[in-house]
Amino acid sequence: MYIDGFQPMTLLDWPGMVGCTVFFAGCNFRCPFCHNAPLVEGERPAPALTFEEFCSFLSRRQGLLDGVCVSGGEPLLHPQLPQLLETIKALGFLVKLDTNGSFPHPMRELWKFGLVDYVAMDIKNSPARYPETAGVPGLDLTPIRESVSWLLDGHVDYEFRTTVVQQFHDAASFEAIGPWIAGARRYYLQTFTPRDTVLRPGLTAWDGETMEKFAAQMRAYVPHVEVR
Ligand code: SF4
């Protein structure tokens, strides 16, 4: 097993936790604003770490890191993910899973076996604009809705988050997202940052004032909303 990308320390990915992040290549979505285009499209990148190297790293970080963020791409596409998470948990670390919500059954299975402590699920946009925002024309939202409902039931700690892009999101987006995830524990609006690795060049971020207006819209439905 290979780890396709690796960040040895992050304070940003998991509220209140110090962690490292592993990235897996491959995704079923093609979000135009995706920052991880090299992981999502094109050649499989040179592996950042072997499984053995990663385990050795973790063994040396016991007591120094709280947990491991597992990101992508879409990590739930990887058949060896359970094996990786079992190893992480056996070494005493918490696990945060980043997912686009397309695979509710594997997500529930990981939770059932005690392999996930926190889920960060993307809400790409309002249902009406979901397919274009995910870059998948005709996308069936059934599994996304199932993941949202399961997380709202509160089996595992979680957050929902939306990367906000001027070309895809406006007030109508949050008028629809709000009632959909009403009562959620946490919701983050992430300011889009243009980078060279973005799938579609030319996309732009909203200014801070507009982001705060969107956050205010969402606070009618979710008590903990932040712009980050
Ligand atoms: S933003 Fe996430 S869900 Fe979208 S293409 Fe990139 S890795 Fe996949």
Side-chain angles (χ1 to χ4, degrees):
M1 187 197 309
Y2 290 106
I3 310 293
D4 295 310
F6 180 59
Q7 193 177 352
M9 195 172 90
T10 174
L11 299 171
L12 301 175
D13 276 2
W14 195 344
M17 299 282 183
V18 182
C20 64
T21 306
V22 294
F23 299 90
F24 285 101
C27 188
N28 57 318
F29 283 3
R30 289 293 180 274
C31 311
F33 51 87
C34 180
H35 282 160
N36 288 336
L39 278 176
V40 165
E41 284 199 322
E43 298 290 314
R44 184 187 173 94
L49 280 182
T50 64
F51 182 62
E52 291 73 24
E53 286 168 336
F54 178 62
C55 292
S56 164
F57 167 85
L58 274 189
S59 303
R60 286 180 274 118
R61 291 299 185 281
Q62 283 173 313
L64 299 173
L65 297 179
D66 300 306
V68 178
C69 304
V70 181
S71 193
E74 173 49 57
L76 289 172
L77 282 170
H78 281 266
Q80 290 171 307
L81 184 65
Q83 185 195 339
L84 175 75
L85 299 191
E86 279 167 14
T87 305
I88 293 170
K89 296 296 288 183
L91 287 168
F93 293 93
L94 299 169
V95 170
K96 169 179 174 266
L97 174 72
D98 289 348
T99 179
N100 64 28
S102 296
F103 304 102
H105 178 68
M107 178 171 67
R108 281 195 301 267
E109 289 296 294
L110 293 179
W111 166 77
K112 202 160 77 183
F113 289 101
L115 298 178
V116 175
D117 301 286
Y118 190 89
V119 174
M121 179 183 158
D122 300 334
I123 302 291
K124 297 295 180 190
N125 208 335
S126 60
R129 297 194 69 180
Y130 223 98
E132 61 167 314
T133 313
V136 182
L139 178 71
D140 175 12
L141 290 188
T142 306
I144 307 287
R145 293 183 187 281
E146 196 179 323
S147 292
V148 168
S149 297
W150 185 75
L151 288 172
L152 285 173
D153 283 344
H155 304 279
V156 65
D157 202 9
Y158 69 95
E159 69 182 50
F160 293 122
R161 64 211 186 153
T162 301
T163 300
V164 185
V165 183
Q166 208 168 5
Q167 285 77 8
F168 294 103
H169 302 92
D170 54 20
S173 303
F174 300 98
E175 275 166 28
I177 293 172
W180 185 13
I181 65 163
R185 282 191 197 167
R186 297 175 200 88
Y187 179 67
Y188 294 97
L189 296 105
Q190 303 183 144
T191 305
F192 171 69
T193 310
R195 290 186 193 151
D196 291 346
T197 53
V198 166
L199 278 176
R200 187 197 300 172
L203 299 175
T204 48
W206 282 107
D207 58 87
E209 191 181 334
T210 306
M211 291 291 286
E212 286 300 335
K213 280 184 188 161
F214 295 153
Q217 274 184 269
M218 289 300 298
R219 286 189 188 106
Y221 301 96
V222 178
H224 186 112
V225 176
E226 282 182 43
V227 175
R228 70 180 174 198

